[in-house]
Amino acid sequence: RQPAKTLWYDRPRYVYLEFCVEDSTDVKVVIEDHRLVFSCKNADGVEFYNEINLYARVNSKDSREKRSDRSITCFMRKWKEKVAWPRITKENIKPAWLSVDFDNWRDWEGDEEVERAMVEQYAEV
C-alpha cells in the first residue's frame, strides 16, 4: 500500500484535491469535516491510500468527488469561504506525495464566477 501522488489548489469556496491514479478501481473517498481518506487500486492491483488531516474545516455534506480515467478529483466546500488556505494539511509539513497544482493555482480574489462554473461543470459529469 502506498500514497497516491496528489495535487491540490485553493479557490474562494472550495479546495480541490486530485489523486493521480490511472484506471482506478475500488475507489473510496470519505470526506469528513476535518479529514479526507482516499483509497483505490490501479490497473496493476497496486493499492493506494492517502489520509489528510485538513488545514481547516470543510462542509462534508457539500463536498464530492469525480473519477476519470486518469485521476480522482475531490472538491470540498470550505466552512469559511473566501479565506485562503496556505496549505492543505493541518500539520505544517509537506509529504513527498503532495504538491501544489500550479496549473490551476491562481490569485483568486474576485474569482467566484469562474469557480461556480467549474463546480457546475463537475456536477454535470
Side-chain angles (χ1 to χ4, degrees):
R1 190 164 92 157
Q2 65 188 50
K5 179 178 184 254
T6 308
L7 301 173
W8 83 279
Y9 59 101
D10 185 31
R11 286 290 190 275
R13 289 196 172 100
Y14 288 86
V15 174
Y16 295 81
L17 277 167
E18 182 179 11
F19 297 98
C20 304
V21 180
E22 291 189 23
D23 302 321
S24 57
T25 59
D26 298 338
V27 175
K28 292 183 185 71
V29 177
V30 178
I31 299 171
E32 299 172 349
D33 288 352
H34 293 280
R35 186 173 77 127
L36 178 137
V37 179
F38 166 81
S39 64
C40 75
K41 292 180 184 171
N42 68 6
D44 298 327
V46 176
E47 289 185 37
F48 292 91
Y49 178 86
N50 298 62
E51 185 172 333
I52 300 170
N53 291 314
L54 299 170
Y55 172 76
R57 186 175 180 185
V58 297
N59 183 342
S60 55
K61 292 176 179 39
D62 193 16
S63 300
R64 49 185 69 88
E65 75 276 347
K66 179 187 88 122
R67 185 191 162 278
S68 71
D69 291 343
R70 302 189 58 159
S71 65
I72 300 89
T73 303
C74 301
F75 39 108
M76 299 174 291
R77 183 82 179 244
K78 292 178 176 179
W79 195 259
K80 290 183 180 172
E81 296 182 2
K82 300 180 183 175
V83 175
W85 287 23
R87 60 184 183 274
I88 191 74
T89 57
K90 183 178 182 76
E91 305 81 20
N92 193 8
I93 54 167
K94 186 190 160 303
W97 47 266
L98 182 63
S99 303
V100 170
D101 184 347
F102 287 107
D103 290 342
N104 286 302
W105 190 275
R106 65 160 95 64
D107 186 14
W108 45 252
E109 284 186 33
D111 213 14
E112 287 89 3
E113 294 302 314
V114 173
E115 183 184 32
R116 191 174 300 121
M118 282 177 60
V119 170
E120 288 170 7
Q121 175 188 343
Y122 275 125
E124 290 170 11
V125 175

